[in-house]
Short mmCIF file of all heavy atoms in Angstrom, two decimals:
data_model
loop_
_atom_site.label_atom_id
_atom_site.label_comp_id
_atom_site.label_asym_id
_atom_site.label_seq_id
_atom_site.Cartn_x
_atom_site.Cartn_y
_atom_site.Cartn_z
N HIS A 1 7.33 -6.63 -1.79
CA HIS A 1 6.15 -7.44 -1.53
C HIS A 1 5.37 -6.86 -0.39
O HIS A 1 5.70 -5.83 0.15
CB HIS A 1 6.53 -8.90 -1.25
CG HIS A 1 7.66 -9.05 -0.27
ND1 HIS A 1 7.48 -9.02 1.09
CD2 HIS A 1 8.99 -9.17 -0.47
CE1 HIS A 1 8.64 -9.17 1.70
NE2 HIS A 1 9.58 -9.24 0.79
N GLY A 2 4.31 -7.53 0.01
CA GLY A 2 3.46 -7.01 1.07
C GLY A 2 2.66 -5.84 0.55
O GLY A 2 2.16 -5.83 -0.57
N ALA A 3 2.50 -4.78 1.39
CA ALA A 3 1.67 -3.65 1.02
C ALA A 3 2.26 -2.83 -0.10
O ALA A 3 1.60 -1.99 -0.69
CB ALA A 3 1.46 -2.74 2.24
N SER A 4 3.54 -3.05 -0.45
CA SER A 4 4.19 -2.21 -1.44
C SER A 4 4.22 -2.81 -2.83
O SER A 4 4.87 -2.29 -3.72
CB SER A 4 5.63 -1.91 -0.98
OG SER A 4 6.32 -3.09 -0.72
N ASP A 5 3.56 -3.95 -3.06
CA ASP A 5 3.60 -4.60 -4.36
C ASP A 5 3.19 -3.68 -5.49
O ASP A 5 3.86 -3.58 -6.50
CB ASP A 5 2.67 -5.83 -4.36
CG ASP A 5 3.39 -7.07 -3.83
OD1 ASP A 5 4.62 -7.03 -3.78
OD2 ASP A 5 2.71 -8.04 -3.51
N GLY A 6 2.03 -3.03 -5.34
CA GLY A 6 1.49 -2.23 -6.43
C GLY A 6 2.43 -1.13 -6.85
O GLY A 6 2.62 -0.89 -8.04
N GLY A 7 3.07 -0.45 -5.87
CA GLY A 7 3.94 0.66 -6.21
C GLY A 7 5.16 0.24 -6.99
O GLY A 7 5.60 0.95 -7.89
N ALA A 8 5.74 -0.93 -6.66
CA ALA A 8 6.95 -1.35 -7.33
C ALA A 8 6.68 -1.86 -8.73
O ALA A 8 7.45 -1.62 -9.65
CB ALA A 8 7.65 -2.43 -6.50
N GLU A 9 5.60 -2.58 -8.92
CA GLU A 9 5.30 -3.19 -10.20
C GLU A 9 4.67 -2.21 -11.18
O GLU A 9 4.77 -2.36 -12.38
CB GLU A 9 4.39 -4.39 -9.99
CG GLU A 9 5.08 -5.51 -9.20
CD GLU A 9 4.16 -6.68 -8.96
OE1 GLU A 9 3.01 -6.62 -9.41
OE2 GLU A 9 4.60 -7.63 -8.32
N ASP A 10 3.99 -1.21 -10.67
CA ASP A 10 3.37 -0.22 -11.54
C ASP A 10 3.97 1.14 -11.22
O ASP A 10 3.30 2.07 -10.82
CB ASP A 10 1.85 -0.20 -11.32
CG ASP A 10 1.15 0.62 -12.38
OD1 ASP A 10 1.77 0.98 -13.39
OD2 ASP A 10 -0.04 0.92 -12.19
N ALA A 11 5.27 1.23 -11.37
CA ALA A 11 6.02 2.41 -10.94
C ALA A 11 5.99 3.53 -11.96
O ALA A 11 6.68 4.52 -11.80
CB ALA A 11 7.48 2.03 -10.66
N LYS A 12 5.19 3.42 -13.00
CA LYS A 12 5.11 4.48 -14.00
C LYS A 12 4.49 5.74 -13.41
O LYS A 12 4.71 6.83 -13.90
CB LYS A 12 4.28 4.01 -15.20
CG LYS A 12 4.93 2.89 -15.99
CD LYS A 12 4.07 2.51 -17.18
CE LYS A 12 4.71 1.38 -17.98
NZ LYS A 12 3.87 0.98 -19.13
N SER A 13 3.69 5.56 -12.35
CA SER A 13 3.01 6.72 -11.77
C SER A 13 3.07 6.67 -10.26
O SER A 13 2.70 5.69 -9.64
CB SER A 13 1.53 6.74 -12.22
OG SER A 13 0.80 7.66 -11.46
N ASP A 14 3.58 7.73 -9.64
CA ASP A 14 3.61 7.80 -8.18
C ASP A 14 2.20 7.79 -7.62
O ASP A 14 1.94 7.25 -6.55
CB ASP A 14 4.31 9.08 -7.72
CG ASP A 14 5.79 9.03 -8.03
OD1 ASP A 14 6.28 7.94 -8.36
OD2 ASP A 14 6.45 10.08 -7.93
N GLU A 15 1.27 8.41 -8.34
CA GLU A 15 -0.10 8.47 -7.84
C GLU A 15 -0.73 7.09 -7.79
O GLU A 15 -1.46 6.75 -6.86
CB GLU A 15 -0.95 9.39 -8.73
CG GLU A 15 -0.61 10.87 -8.60
CD GLU A 15 0.68 11.24 -9.30
OE1 GLU A 15 1.23 10.39 -10.04
OE2 GLU A 15 1.13 12.37 -9.11
N ASN A 16 -0.46 6.26 -8.83
CA ASN A 16 -0.99 4.89 -8.81
C ASN A 16 -0.42 4.11 -7.65
O ASN A 16 -1.11 3.35 -6.98
CB ASN A 16 -0.64 4.17 -10.13
CG ASN A 16 -1.45 4.68 -11.29
OD1 ASN A 16 -2.46 5.35 -11.08
ND2 ASN A 16 -1.03 4.38 -12.51
N ALA A 17 0.86 4.30 -7.39
CA ALA A 17 1.48 3.59 -6.27
C ALA A 17 0.84 4.00 -4.96
O ALA A 17 0.55 3.17 -4.10
CB ALA A 17 2.98 3.89 -6.23
N ALA A 18 0.60 5.29 -4.80
CA ALA A 18 0.00 5.77 -3.56
C ALA A 18 -1.40 5.23 -3.38
O ALA A 18 -1.81 4.84 -2.29
CB ALA A 18 -0.04 7.30 -3.54
N ALA A 19 -2.19 5.19 -4.47
CA ALA A 19 -3.56 4.71 -4.39
C ALA A 19 -3.60 3.26 -3.96
O ALA A 19 -4.42 2.85 -3.13
CB ALA A 19 -4.26 4.88 -5.73
N LYS A 20 -2.71 2.45 -4.52
CA LYS A 20 -2.72 1.02 -4.20
C LYS A 20 -2.27 0.77 -2.77
O LYS A 20 -2.84 -0.05 -2.06
CB LYS A 20 -1.82 0.26 -5.18
CG LYS A 20 -2.38 0.27 -6.60
CD LYS A 20 -1.49 -0.53 -7.54
CE LYS A 20 -2.06 -0.50 -8.96
NZ LYS A 20 -1.23 -1.29 -9.90
N THR A 21 -1.22 1.47 -2.33
CA THR A 21 -0.75 1.24 -0.97
C THR A 21 -1.73 1.79 0.05
O THR A 21 -1.89 1.24 1.13
CB THR A 21 0.63 1.89 -0.77
OG1 THR A 21 0.57 3.24 -1.23
CG2 THR A 21 1.69 1.15 -1.55
N THR A 22 -2.42 2.89 -0.27
CA THR A 22 -3.41 3.44 0.65
C THR A 22 -4.57 2.48 0.81
O THR A 22 -5.13 2.32 1.90
CB THR A 22 -3.91 4.81 0.14
OG1 THR A 22 -2.81 5.69 0.05
CG2 THR A 22 -4.94 5.38 1.09
N ALA A 23 -4.96 1.81 -0.27
CA ALA A 23 -6.02 0.81 -0.18
C ALA A 23 -5.63 -0.30 0.77
O ALA A 23 -6.44 -0.80 1.54
CB ALA A 23 -6.31 0.24 -1.57
N ALA A 24 -4.36 -0.69 0.73
CA ALA A 24 -3.90 -1.71 1.65
C ALA A 24 -3.96 -1.21 3.08
O ALA A 24 -4.25 -1.96 4.02
CB ALA A 24 -2.46 -2.12 1.30
N ALA A 25 -3.68 0.09 3.29
CA ALA A 25 -3.70 0.65 4.64
C ALA A 25 -5.09 0.60 5.24
O ALA A 25 -5.26 0.42 6.44
CB ALA A 25 -3.20 2.10 4.61
N ASP A 26 -6.14 0.78 4.42
CA ASP A 26 -7.50 0.82 4.93
C ASP A 26 -7.91 -0.48 5.57
O ASP A 26 -8.80 -0.53 6.41
CB ASP A 26 -8.48 1.13 3.79
CG ASP A 26 -8.31 2.57 3.30
OD1 ASP A 26 -7.74 3.38 4.07
OD2 ASP A 26 -8.71 2.85 2.16
N SER A 27 -7.26 -1.58 5.17
CA SER A 27 -7.64 -2.88 5.72
C SER A 27 -6.73 -3.31 6.85
O SER A 27 -6.78 -4.43 7.33
CB SER A 27 -7.59 -3.96 4.62
OG SER A 27 -6.28 -4.07 4.10
N GLY A 28 -5.84 -2.42 7.30
CA GLY A 28 -4.87 -2.79 8.33
C GLY A 28 -5.48 -2.83 9.71
O GLY A 28 -6.59 -2.41 9.96
N ASP A 29 -4.68 -3.37 10.66
CA ASP A 29 -5.10 -3.48 12.05
C ASP A 29 -4.87 -2.16 12.74
O ASP A 29 -3.78 -1.61 12.71
CB ASP A 29 -4.26 -4.59 12.72
CG ASP A 29 -4.63 -4.77 14.17
OD1 ASP A 29 -5.63 -4.16 14.61
OD2 ASP A 29 -3.93 -5.52 14.86
N ALA A 30 -5.90 -1.60 13.37
CA ALA A 30 -5.80 -0.27 13.98
C ALA A 30 -5.08 -0.28 15.31
O ALA A 30 -4.59 0.73 15.76
CB ALA A 30 -7.19 0.33 14.16
N GLY A 31 -5.03 -1.40 16.00
CA GLY A 31 -4.42 -1.35 17.33
C GLY A 31 -3.87 -2.66 17.80
O GLY A 31 -3.90 -2.98 18.98
N GLY A 32 -3.37 -3.51 16.87
CA GLY A 32 -2.91 -4.83 17.26
C GLY A 32 -1.75 -4.78 18.23
O GLY A 32 -1.67 -5.56 19.17
N THR A 33 -0.80 -3.86 17.99
CA THR A 33 0.38 -3.80 18.85
C THR A 33 0.01 -3.44 20.27
O THR A 33 0.45 -4.06 21.23
CB THR A 33 1.37 -2.77 18.29
OG1 THR A 33 1.73 -3.15 16.97
CG2 THR A 33 2.62 -2.70 19.17
N ASP A 34 -0.84 -2.41 20.43
CA ASP A 34 -1.24 -2.00 21.77
C ASP A 34 -2.03 -3.08 22.47
O ASP A 34 -1.86 -3.34 23.66
CB ASP A 34 -2.08 -0.73 21.70
CG ASP A 34 -1.19 0.50 21.50
OD1 ASP A 34 0.03 0.30 21.43
OD2 ASP A 34 -1.72 1.60 21.43
N THR A 35 -2.93 -3.74 21.74
CA THR A 35 -3.75 -4.79 22.35
C THR A 35 -2.88 -5.91 22.87
O THR A 35 -3.05 -6.40 23.99
CB THR A 35 -4.75 -5.34 21.32
OG1 THR A 35 -5.57 -4.27 20.87
CG2 THR A 35 -5.60 -6.43 21.95
#
């Protein structure tokens, strides 16, 4: 679950998994921990 949902459920293609998880990364917090 979380950012890895797409990769596990659509595991027929590694590229599809990477595309979905990378899209999730684009919306992530860039510096929450440091702040």
